[in-house]
Amino acid sequence: MSWLESVVYYTSLPIGTPVSILLSRNPQTDYLTHLKYKSDYLKKPIPKKGLEYIFKKMLELEAPILAFNPYGGKMAEISSSAKPFPHRKGNICKIQYSANWDQDGVEAAKHYVDLVRKLHHYMAPFVSKSPREAFWNYRDLDLGINRNGADSYTQGAAYGVKYFKGNFDRLVKVKSDVDPGNFFRNEQSIPLLPSLGK
């Protein structure tokens, strides 16, 4: 199947569903009402004792999902500074922590978000450090929020270095050159250089 067909399949839609369904702004599945994602990068293999610890914690928590996305190959041949995405050579895999739930309400949300946070916390001994890296496409507001004010650069660096490592300052410069008025912004957007912050 094509990559787009695999996206449709991964969304739990029947094989043969037209790929044009991906253009719909309405959810096509009932089970993804609410979700929380976090991420990490694995630099060294997890020892057997570590895997036993992780399995035990997964059984205790029950609900969160732990997925390992392998890295390497051609991706590792590209320099971490060649593109904004820096997580290349030296990464065994990306780790994804997630929970999906269909119950509405603050209590349900708090329960599932806390489970994902606990699992993420349990994995700290095994993943990247200084900084503990993260995958930008799983925007994780736990890493920091930018209020787009006078402290925009400092607030942005809290999550930006985890997402972009050494490329963060280069992205800040590009953002400052291309969008000096900070029109395109959100709670985790690339900030402006401190002298341009508004």
Side-chain angles (χ1 to χ4, degrees), residues 168-178 190-193:
F168 175 69
D169 281 331
R170 193 173 85 214
L171 291 168
V172 170
K173 184 176 180 337
V174 170
K175 165 76 175 190
S176 299
D177 290 345
V178 173
I190 298 295
L192 297 173
L193 287 167

Side-chain angles (χ1 to χ4, degrees), residues 39-128:
S39 60
D40 265 319
Y41 281 92
L42 187 65
K43 307 281 187 184
K44 294 186 258 183
I46 299 172
K48 184 176 179 182
K49 285 281 189 197
L51 291 172
E52 291 170 359
Y53 168 81
I54 293 165
F55 295 150
K56 179 182 175 208
K57 293 301 180 183
M58 291 291 297
L59 289 171
E60 286 175 19
L61 296 175
E62 294 182 9
I65 297 167
L66 180 65
F68 294 85
N69 304 111
Y71 276 36
K74 196 73 169 164
M75 192 169 163
E77 296 175 15
I78 300 167
S79 165
S80 63
S81 62
K83 311 272 183 198
F85 181 83
H87 311 287
R88 298 180 182 277
K89 188 175 184 178
N91 290 295
I92 295 172
C93 66
K94 173 181 51 139
I95 301 174
Q96 175 190 47
Y97 314 93
S98 62
N100 304 315
W101 64 97
D102 57 10
Q103 303 96 328
D104 291 327
V106 173
E107 288 304 313
K110 183 179 179 336
H111 172 73
Y112 287 100
V113 169
D114 284 349
L115 290 176
V116 173
R117 287 175 177 156
K118 284 179 183 176
L119 180 56
H120 183 259
H121 174 76
Y122 293 146
M123 292 294 289
F126 310 110
V127 297
S128 63

